[in-house]
Amino acid sequence: MTFSVPNMKSCTDCPIRYNAVCSKCEPDEIEILEQIKYYRSFAAGQTVFFAGDLLEFVGSIVSGVASLTRTLPDGRVQMVGLLLPADFMGRPNRETIDTDIVAETDLMLCCFRRKPFEKLIEQTPHVGQRLLEMTLDELDAAREWMLVLGRKTAREKIASLLYMIATRMVKLTPGAPEKISFILPITRETMANYLGLTIETVSRQMTALKKDGIIAFDDRRDIKVPDIDVLKAETGEDVYS
Amino acid sequence: MTFSVPNMKSCTDCPIRYNAVCSKCEPDEIEILEQIKYYRSFAAGQTVFFAGDLLEFVGSIVSGVASLTRTLPDGRVQMVGLLLPADFMGRPNRETIDTDIVAETDLMLCCFRRKPFEKLIEQTPHVGQRLLEMTLDELDAAREWMLVLGRKTAREKIASLLYMIATRMVKLTPGAPEKISFILPITRETMANYLGLTIETVSRQMTALKKDGIIAFDDRRDIKVPDIDVLKAETGEDVYS
DNA sequence: CGGTATGTTGATATGTTTCAAATCAGGTGG
DNA sequence: CCACCTGATTTGAAACATATCAACATACCG
């Protein structure tokens, strides 16, 4: 697995420049960030932080996917967050981290040592404002997921996850709104940990959705969605809007 | 049900002055807040906002308890947040709200119309900074609850909820660390909606915990915890720390 | 080309829900 | 002060969904 630090002389060329925690920054603020940022990469499967670790740095996902998970003493695992490009990792004003953070795919991070970053939040208001926005969005997403975990059936859970991924793909790939196709970026086990299910149940429900024509796949990862509204109807939510 | 606006000439006398979104404000910032704040009260059971409503104001819980809930079209309900005194309600930069907010007890709010409050965040940095802290804390709490909802058994869920309430009470009432007693501030139905269970299961598990001597109660609301560590052991988490 | 991860399928066990009925607590009016 | 009413809670029996245990199939990778 080889990595190269993206060829970025300046943040101007950064792929997440207008979505990440720095997106509201003026040129002079960017310059300050630029002086203290550094890149780190992790291979798929590597752990970025273990729960309980000192939180030495915070940062943005430049590319790849990372998961936040909590584990009970007897080994039960629940994913509690999924970080995609532009998402922010870590939290200011906290000495240690309380979840594992794992690279689900190869990962590139734009990092800041935590202490300097905390000072920076006080100096450059646009960083704090953007971080507040992003945190509020994450909180909304977490609450949405609490509804899924607490009240939905296994079939509805799977449909909800697929629907979320599918709509996210549509957003990234403008074009035909129907007949969506995407590569599942996560394993059955990761799906299970996300949804509070076992891998067997995930597998069975995927098969059931396929049998009912809601989704189609031959390769286990390459999912096709003939009609996104039909999929949404399986999530238990209203189809409208 | 009668309410009186607390006798507060100034924020100085406010019971949540040093915990709420205003806690970091300097006297000059407080003065600005003071000019636009207003109080509103709601009786237990009243709905403050319905999901989809225009978010006309935001504000702090001065006293009482409010819940955030999401409802599926077929009537399934999941609580996704519980607001206690000093907690913040609503979110800046969002036109509508996506959860119901209900007064679980009589409620007193310190409100700000949303638009002026949004401007205020940009002008008075300490409000935004504190709001970021509070939002990050809420996100942590939401993730903790995702673990409960996704991976814990009914018995562990009940124990987790009771443990949370018990420890919160201990924090408020310094004194004997063992032999805790508290009044459950919520009904069995509210507990069920919080935990993703039915009221029958809640009732059965409460009875089971009582039978096993983990908790004690004659009145359905007045709970005694003989040994808080024994209760914690039932949550499925590590007892240490 | 074997060996290991990952994923699928089947049979059974288990925990929680569902449906139904009984009990309890608090408030109201006689 | 008591009988009654209502909503909240408890309890029981049966149905159901998901987990568990076990075997097998498939894809991946050196």
PDB file of all heavy atoms in Angstrom, chain B residues 46-71:
ATOM      1  N   GLN B  46     -47.151  20.008  27.305  1.00  0.00           N
ATOM      2  CA  GLN B  46     -47.275  20.891  26.138  1.00  0.00           C
ATOM      3  C   GLN B  46     -46.139  20.660  25.150  1.00  0.00           C
ATOM      4  O   GLN B  46     -45.018  20.337  25.535  1.00  0.00           O
ATOM      5  CB  GLN B  46     -47.243  22.358  26.583  1.00  0.00           C
ATOM      6  CG  GLN B  46     -48.568  22.900  27.055  1.00  0.00           C
ATOM      7  CD  GLN B  46     -48.517  24.423  27.177  1.00  0.00           C
ATOM      8  OE1 GLN B  46     -47.738  24.970  27.945  1.00  0.00           O
ATOM      9  NE2 GLN B  46     -49.359  25.092  26.404  1.00  0.00           N
ATOM     10  N   THR B  47     -46.459  20.872  23.872  1.00  0.00           N
ATOM     11  CA  THR B  47     -45.438  20.765  22.838  1.00  0.00           C
ATOM     12  C   THR B  47     -44.864  22.148  22.548  1.00  0.00           C
ATOM     13  O   THR B  47     -45.609  23.090  22.278  1.00  0.00           O
ATOM     14  CB  THR B  47     -46.038  20.169  21.558  1.00  0.00           C
ATOM     15  OG1 THR B  47     -46.499  18.845  21.846  1.00  0.00           O
ATOM     16  CG2 THR B  47     -44.997  20.098  20.453  1.00  0.00           C
ATOM     17  N   VAL B  48     -43.557  22.256  22.609  1.00  0.00           N
ATOM     18  CA  VAL B  48     -42.886  23.530  22.340  1.00  0.00           C
ATOM     19  C   VAL B  48     -42.741  23.730  20.842  1.00  0.00           C
ATOM     20  O   VAL B  48     -43.032  24.804  20.316  1.00  0.00           O
ATOM     21  CB  VAL B  48     -41.502  23.574  23.026  1.00  0.00           C
ATOM     22  CG1 VAL B  48     -40.800  24.892  22.751  1.00  0.00           C
ATOM     23  CG2 VAL B  48     -41.644  23.344  24.535  1.00  0.00           C
ATOM     24  N   PHE B  49     -42.287  22.691  20.153  1.00  0.00           N
ATOM     25  CA  PHE B  49     -42.221  22.709  18.686  1.00  0.00           C
ATOM     26  C   PHE B  49     -42.695  21.370  18.148  1.00  0.00           C
ATOM     27  O   PHE B  49     -42.440  20.324  18.756  1.00  0.00           O
ATOM     28  CB  PHE B  49     -40.774  22.910  18.192  1.00  0.00           C
ATOM     29  CG  PHE B  49     -40.216  24.273  18.407  1.00  0.00           C
ATOM     30  CD1 PHE B  49     -39.246  24.487  19.361  1.00  0.00           C
ATOM     31  CD2 PHE B  49     -40.650  25.348  17.642  1.00  0.00           C
ATOM     32  CE1 PHE B  49     -38.709  25.750  19.561  1.00  0.00           C
ATOM     33  CE2 PHE B  49     -40.122  26.609  17.844  1.00  0.00           C
ATOM     34  CZ  PHE B  49     -39.154  26.818  18.803  1.00  0.00           C
ATOM     35  N   PHE B  50     -43.346  21.391  17.000  1.00  0.00           N
ATOM     36  CA  PHE B  50     -43.627  20.172  16.268  1.00  0.00           C
ATOM     37  C   PHE B  50     -42.570  20.013  15.175  1.00  0.00           C
ATOM     38  O   PHE B  50     -42.136  21.025  14.599  1.00  0.00           O
ATOM     39  CB  PHE B  50     -45.023  20.223  15.635  1.00  0.00           C
ATOM     40  CG  PHE B  50     -46.137  20.149  16.634  1.00  0.00           C
ATOM     41  CD1 PHE B  50     -46.727  21.306  17.123  1.00  0.00           C
ATOM     42  CD2 PHE B  50     -46.601  18.916  17.084  1.00  0.00           C
ATOM     43  CE1 PHE B  50     -47.763  21.237  18.050  1.00  0.00           C
ATOM     44  CE2 PHE B  50     -47.635  18.843  18.001  1.00  0.00           C
ATOM     45  CZ  PHE B  50     -48.216  20.003  18.492  1.00  0.00           C
ATOM     46  N   ALA B  51     -42.189  18.785  14.899  1.00  0.00           N
ATOM     47  CA  ALA B  51     -41.239  18.539  13.808  1.00  0.00           C
ATOM     48  C   ALA B  51     -41.765  19.203  12.537  1.00  0.00           C
ATOM     49  O   ALA B  51     -42.934  19.038  12.188  1.00  0.00           O
ATOM     50  CB  ALA B  51     -41.070  17.037  13.597  1.00  0.00           C
ATOM     51  N   GLY B  52     -40.919  19.951  11.867  1.00  0.00           N
ATOM     52  CA  GLY B  52     -41.322  20.646  10.656  1.00  0.00           C
ATOM     53  C   GLY B  52     -41.661  22.103  10.885  1.00  0.00           C
ATOM     54  O   GLY B  52     -41.718  22.885   9.932  1.00  0.00           O
ATOM     55  N   ASP B  53     -41.903  22.485  12.131  1.00  0.00           N
ATOM     56  CA  ASP B  53     -42.214  23.880  12.444  1.00  0.00           C
ATOM     57  C   ASP B  53     -41.073  24.805  12.061  1.00  0.00           C
ATOM     58  O   ASP B  53     -39.904  24.415  12.060  1.00  0.00           O
ATOM     59  CB  ASP B  53     -42.435  24.051  13.965  1.00  0.00           C
ATOM     60  CG  ASP B  53     -43.844  23.675  14.394  1.00  0.00           C
ATOM     61  OD1 ASP B  53     -44.653  23.306  13.527  1.00  0.00           O
ATOM     62  OD2 ASP B  53     -44.120  23.747  15.611  1.00  0.00           O
ATOM     63  N   LEU B  54     -41.432  26.040  11.751  1.00  0.00           N
ATOM     64  CA  LEU B  54     -40.419  27.071  11.620  1.00  0.00           C
ATOM     65  C   LEU B  54     -39.763  27.256  12.983  1.00  0.00           C
ATOM     66  O   LEU B  54     -40.446  27.313  14.013  1.00  0.00           O
ATOM     67  CB  LEU B  54     -41.048  28.389  11.155  1.00  0.00           C
ATOM     68  CG  LEU B  54     -41.353  28.476   9.667  1.00  0.00           C
ATOM     69  CD1 LEU B  54     -42.062  29.791   9.361  1.00  0.00           C
ATOM     70  CD2 LEU B  54     -40.081  28.355   8.839  1.00  0.00           C
ATOM     71  N   LEU B  55     -38.470  27.357  12.983  1.00  0.00           N
ATOM     72  CA  LEU B  55     -37.738  27.511  14.236  1.00  0.00           C
ATOM     73  C   LEU B  55     -37.632  28.999  14.545  1.00  0.00           C
ATOM     74  O   LEU B  55     -36.659  29.646  14.201  1.00  0.00           O
ATOM     75  CB  LEU B  55     -36.343  26.881  14.108  1.00  0.00           C
ATOM     76  CG  LEU B  55     -35.473  26.861  15.352  1.00  0.00           C
ATOM     77  CD1 LEU B  55     -36.177  26.176  16.504  1.00  0.00           C
ATOM     78  CD2 LEU B  55     -34.149  26.187  15.052  1.00  0.00           C
ATOM     79  N   GLU B  56     -38.659  29.508  15.221  1.00  0.00           N
ATOM     80  CA  GLU B  56     -38.726  30.957  15.422  1.00  0.00           C
ATOM     81  C   GLU B  56     -37.794  31.440  16.513  1.00  0.00           C
ATOM     82  O   GLU B  56     -37.339  32.571  16.489  1.00  0.00           O
ATOM     83  CB  GLU B  56     -40.172  31.353  15.778  1.00  0.00           C
ATOM     84  CG  GLU B  56     -41.200  30.747  14.853  1.00  0.00           C
ATOM     85  CD  GLU B  56     -42.053  31.799  14.195  1.00  0.00           C
ATOM     86  OE1 GLU B  56     -41.797  32.988  14.452  1.00  0.00           O
ATOM     87  OE2 GLU B  56     -42.958  31.432  13.431  1.00  0.00           O
ATOM     88  N   PHE B  57     -37.590  30.594  17.512  1.00  0.00           N
ATOM     89  CA  PHE B  57     -36.675  31.008  18.576  1.00  0.00           C
ATOM     90  C   PHE B  57     -35.787  29.860  19.031  1.00  0.00           C
ATOM     91  O   PHE B  57     -36.080  28.698  18.773  1.00  0.00           O
ATOM     92  CB  PHE B  57     -37.454  31.583  19.761  1.00  0.00           C
ATOM     93  CG  PHE B  57     -38.346  30.585  20.461  1.00  0.00           C
ATOM     94  CD1 PHE B  57     -37.846  29.800  21.492  1.00  0.00           C
ATOM     95  CD2 PHE B  57     -39.685  30.441  20.095  1.00  0.00           C
ATOM     96  CE1 PHE B  57     -38.662  28.878  22.149  1.00  0.00           C
ATOM     97  CE2 PHE B  57     -40.498  29.522  20.738  1.00  0.00           C
ATOM     98  CZ  PHE B  57     -39.997  28.742  21.769  1.00  0.00           C
ATOM     99  N   VAL B  58     -34.709  30.224  19.664  1.00  0.00           N
ATOM    100  CA  VAL B  58     -33.837  29.260  20.317  1.00  0.00           C
ATOM    101  C   VAL B  58     -33.728  29.702  21.772  1.00  0.00           C
ATOM    102  O   VAL B  58     -34.232  30.759  22.134  1.00  0.00           O
ATOM    103  CB  VAL B  58     -32.442  29.225  19.662  1.00  0.00           C
ATOM    104  CG1 VAL B  58     -32.538  28.811  18.213  1.00  0.00           C
ATOM    105  CG2 VAL B  58     -31.764  30.580  19.797  1.00  0.00           C
ATOM    106  N   GLY B  59     -33.103  28.901  22.616  1.00  0.00           N
ATOM    107  CA  GLY B  59     -32.985  29.353  23.995  1.00  0.00           C
ATOM    108  C   GLY B  59     -32.490  28.289  24.949  1.00  0.00           C
ATOM    109  O   GLY B  59     -32.157  27.183  24.538  1.00  0.00           O
ATOM    110  N   SER B  60     -32.465  28.645  26.220  1.00  0.00           N
ATOM    111  CA  SER B  60     -31.943  27.767  27.261  1.00  0.00           C
ATOM    112  C   SER B  60     -33.068  27.289  28.160  1.00  0.00           C
ATOM    113  O   SER B  60     -34.025  28.016  28.417  1.00  0.00           O
ATOM    114  CB  SER B  60     -30.932  28.521  28.121  1.00  0.00           C
ATOM    115  OG  SER B  60     -29.845  28.962  27.340  1.00  0.00           O
ATOM    116  N   ILE B  61     -32.933  26.058  28.659  1.00  0.00           N
ATOM    117  CA  ILE B  61     -33.837  25.563  29.684  1.00  0.00           C
ATOM    118  C   ILE B  61     -33.422  26.217  31.011  1.00  0.00           C
ATOM    119  O   ILE B  61     -32.301  26.004  31.475  1.00  0.00           O
ATOM    120  CB  ILE B  61     -33.734  24.035  29.855  1.00  0.00           C
ATOM    121  CG1 ILE B  61     -33.768  23.315  28.516  1.00  0.00           C
ATOM    122  CG2 ILE B  61     -34.794  23.527  30.828  1.00  0.00           C
ATOM    123  CD1 ILE B  61     -35.107  23.196  27.896  1.00  0.00           C
ATOM    124  N   VAL B  62     -34.307  27.012  31.591  1.00  0.00           N
ATOM    125  CA  VAL B  62     -34.013  27.597  32.906  1.00  0.00           C
ATOM    126  C   VAL B  62     -34.375  26.587  33.994  1.00  0.00           C
ATOM    127  O   VAL B  62     -33.606  26.350  34.928  1.00  0.00           O
ATOM    128  CB  VAL B  62     -34.792  28.909  33.117  1.00  0.00           C
ATOM    129  CG1 VAL B  62     -34.521  29.468  34.510  1.00  0.00           C
ATOM    130  CG2 VAL B  62     -34.416  29.921  32.050  1.00  0.00           C
ATOM    131  N   SER B  63     -35.555  25.977  33.865  1.00  0.00           N
ATOM    132  CA  SER B  63     -35.945  24.926  34.802  1.00  0.00           C
ATOM    133  C   SER B  63     -36.884  23.952  34.115  1.00  0.00           C
ATOM    134  O   SER B  63     -37.587  24.321  33.166  1.00  0.00           O
ATOM    135  CB  SER B  63     -36.611  25.530  36.038  1.00  0.00           C
ATOM    136  OG  SER B  63     -37.819  26.156  35.662  1.00  0.00           O
ATOM    137  N   GLY B  64     -36.883  22.714  34.582  1.00  0.00           N
ATOM    138  CA  GLY B  64     -37.742  21.699  34.002  1.00  0.00           C
ATOM    139  C   GLY B  64     -36.986  20.780  33.046  1.00  0.00           C
ATOM    140  O   GLY B  64     -35.770  20.867  32.916  1.00  0.00           O
ATOM    141  N   VAL B  65     -37.731  19.898  32.410  1.00  0.00           N
ATOM    142  CA  VAL B  65     -37.153  18.900  31.511  1.00  0.00           C
ATOM    143  C   VAL B  65     -37.947  18.871  30.213  1.00  0.00           C
ATOM    144  O   VAL B  65     -39.184  18.891  30.234  1.00  0.00           O
ATOM    145  CB  VAL B  65     -37.188  17.495  32.157  1.00  0.00           C
ATOM    146  CG1 VAL B  65     -36.647  16.440  31.197  1.00  0.00           C
ATOM    147  CG2 VAL B  65     -36.395  17.473  33.459  1.00  0.00           C
ATOM    148  N   ALA B  66     -37.259  18.836  29.091  1.00  0.00           N
ATOM    149  CA  ALA B  66     -37.914  18.726  27.788  1.00  0.00           C
ATOM    150  C   ALA B  66     -37.309  17.564  27.020  1.00  0.00           C
ATOM    151  O   ALA B  66     -36.142  17.224  27.218  1.00  0.00           O
ATOM    152  CB  ALA B  66     -37.755  20.013  26.995  1.00  0.00           C
ATOM    153  N   SER B  67     -38.119  16.952  26.139  1.00  0.00           N
ATOM    154  CA  SER B  67     -37.611  15.835  25.350  1.00  0.00           C
ATOM    155  C   SER B  67     -37.664  16.159  23.867  1.00  0.00           C
ATOM    156  O   SER B  67     -38.543  16.895  23.413  1.00  0.00           O
ATOM    157  CB  SER B  67     -38.438  14.575  25.628  1.00  0.00           C
ATOM    158  OG  SER B  67     -39.759  14.759  25.168  1.00  0.00           O
ATOM    159  N   LEU B  68     -36.723  15.609  23.136  1.00  0.00           N
ATOM    160  CA  LEU B  68     -36.751  15.656  21.672  1.00  0.00           C
ATOM    161  C   LEU B  68     -37.138  14.279  21.180  1.00  0.00           C
ATOM    162  O   LEU B  68     -36.530  13.294  21.594  1.00  0.00           O
ATOM    163  CB  LEU B  68     -35.372  15.992  21.107  1.00  0.00           C
ATOM    164  CG  LEU B  68     -34.603  17.178  21.674  1.00  0.00           C
ATOM    165  CD1 LEU B  68     -33.329  17.403  20.853  1.00  0.00           C
ATOM    166  CD2 LEU B  68     -35.457  18.418  21.665  1.00  0.00           C
ATOM    167  N   THR B  69     -38.145  14.190  20.326  1.00  0.00           N
ATOM    168  CA  THR B  69     -38.534  12.879  19.807  1.00  0.00           C
ATOM    169  C   THR B  69     -38.735  12.923  18.300  1.00  0.00           C
ATOM    170  O   THR B  69     -39.092  13.950  17.730  1.00  0.00           O
ATOM    171  CB  THR B  69     -39.846  12.373  20.437  1.00  0.00           C
ATOM    172  OG1 THR B  69     -40.885  13.327  20.193  1.00  0.00           O
ATOM    173  CG2 THR B  69     -39.716  12.171  21.935  1.00  0.00           C
ATOM    174  N   ARG B  70     -38.493  11.768  17.664  1.00  0.00           N
ATOM    175  CA  ARG B  70     -38.798  11.582  16.258  1.00  0.00           C
ATOM    176  C   ARG B  70     -39.843  10.481  16.157  1.00  0.00           C
ATOM    177  O   ARG B  70     -39.824   9.517  16.913  1.00  0.00           O
ATOM    178  CB  ARG B  70     -37.552  11.187  15.479  1.00  0.00           C
ATOM    179  CG  ARG B  70     -36.476  12.279  15.548  1.00  0.00           C
ATOM    180  CD  ARG B  70     -35.626  12.302  14.312  1.00  0.00           C
ATOM    181  NE  ARG B  70     -36.390  11.966  13.141  1.00  0.00           N
ATOM    182  CZ  ARG B  70     -35.939  12.131  11.900  1.00  0.00           C
ATOM    183  NH1 ARG B  70     -34.754  12.631  11.702  1.00  0.00           N
ATOM    184  NH2 ARG B  70     -36.681  11.787  10.877  1.00  0.00           N
ATOM    185  N   THR B  71     -40.743  10.638  15.202  1.00  0.00           N
ATOM    186  CA  THR B  71     -41.852   9.703  15.050  1.00  0.00           C
ATOM    187  C   THR B  71     -41.903   9.181  13.622  1.00  0.00           C
ATOM    188  O   THR B  71     -41.817   9.961  12.677  1.00  0.00           O
ATOM    189  CB  THR B  71     -43.178  10.384  15.399  1.00  0.00           C
ATOM    190  OG1 THR B  71     -43.089  10.922  16.712  1.00  0.00           O
ATOM    191  CG2 THR B  71     -44.334   9.400  15.339  1.00  0.00           C
TER     192      THR B  71
END
